[in-house]
Amino acid sequence: MKPSTSSFSRRGFVRSTAALAFGTASGGVVSSTANSGKELLKDLSPAVQMQFMRPAQLEKAIRDFPVAYVPFGLIEWHGRHLPLGNDALKAHGILVKAAERAGGVVYPPVYFHEGFPREYLVPVLTALFERLKKTGFRVILGVSGHNVQGQIDMINRALAPIVADGTVAGAGLWEITLSQGPDSNTDHAAKWETSNMMFLYPDLVDLKALGDGPLAPDMKPPDGIGGLDPRKHALAEVGQRNVDLAAQAIGKKARELLEALPGRREASGPVTIRPGDWWMI
């Protein structure tokens, strides 16, 4: 389900997805991946994260599967119990899991959002995507954990000149665009986002900070939480399943886009990560 671009808001997203959420955190959740039957581990492999890779590792990754995943988020209130960088951390974790399964490389999280002047920000993002293209990537997926239409529009506007010649494919997505359903959804600092962080970054979650009293509804102060009460419904197992399904769907989409391009899996040019040929992205 993709919300309307004309009327979409974060609060509207929370309302539109509430009907899909189960009443209990454990309903329908399993702890193994759908395809392999192997347990999805919360550890995020440095082997697919660009900032940790050595030149030869990046060269090989691009030759094997020339897909770049770029996670987007912002610094934003996510209740008193979650980190302010929740959205980008969530998107980054899901993309690392996608790359671990399907291949490709994950760029470090980008902490920009649609509230910055887009006339300046979109060209900056286009320059980033252009550098990824010149490095040899054939597919660029910008994935936002901040479920607001404006951020997806910003990503797609920045990608438009990059994909115009047909040699590279790209898309802007929310982390659950391709997997949304009873076991894969989102909200604002409630059941789903809290569960994601309990799986990926359990040390960053402090449910005790919410106290024992009732929470203000519909993202209202002082709690700013939209969705099911995380104290009752959030579980690491729910986050594990959500992350797994989102990662599977994003990896599948990357493969489909790559295979549809001319030359298919071949990099867009010689991949040589060394001084004189390549210095920085």
Side-chain angles (χ1 to χ4, degrees), residues 220-242:
K220 293 179 180 178
D223 302 302
I225 294 175
L228 295 173
D229 189 335
R231 299 169 300 184
K232 299 178 181 178
H233 300 287
L235 286 173
E237 291 80 5
V238 174
Q240 181 183 47
R241 180 64 170 161
N242 193 21

Side-chain angles (χ1 to χ4, degrees), residues 147-165:
N147 294 285
V148 170
Q149 182 63 43
Q151 187 155 69
I152 302 302
D153 293 343
M154 179 184 72
I155 294 168
N156 282 324
R157 280 182 59 194
L159 277 169
I162 306 304
V163 304
D165 64 3

Side-chain angles (χ1 to χ4, degrees), residues 47 53 56-67 103-105 137:
M53 300 173 80
Q57 293 173 316
L58 181 57
E59 288 180 0
K60 184 179 186 304
I62 296 173
R63 293 189 181 111
D64 289 346
F65 195 71
V67 172
V105 177
F137 291 103

Side-chain angles (χ1 to χ4, degrees), residues 122-172:
V122 169
V124 171
L125 295 178
T126 295
L128 167 61
F129 296 149
E130 178 65 27
R131 287 173 178 269
L132 291 170
K133 178 180 180 179
K134 288 181 178 179
T135 299
F137 291 103
R138 301 291 310 281
V139 172
I140 302 170
L141 291 179
V143 177
S144 172
H146 180 52
N147 294 285
V148 170
Q149 182 63 43
Q151 187 155 69
I152 302 302
D153 293 343
M154 179 184 72
I155 294 168
N156 282 324
R157 280 182 59 194
L159 277 169
I162 306 304
V163 304
D165 64 3
T167 63
V168 171

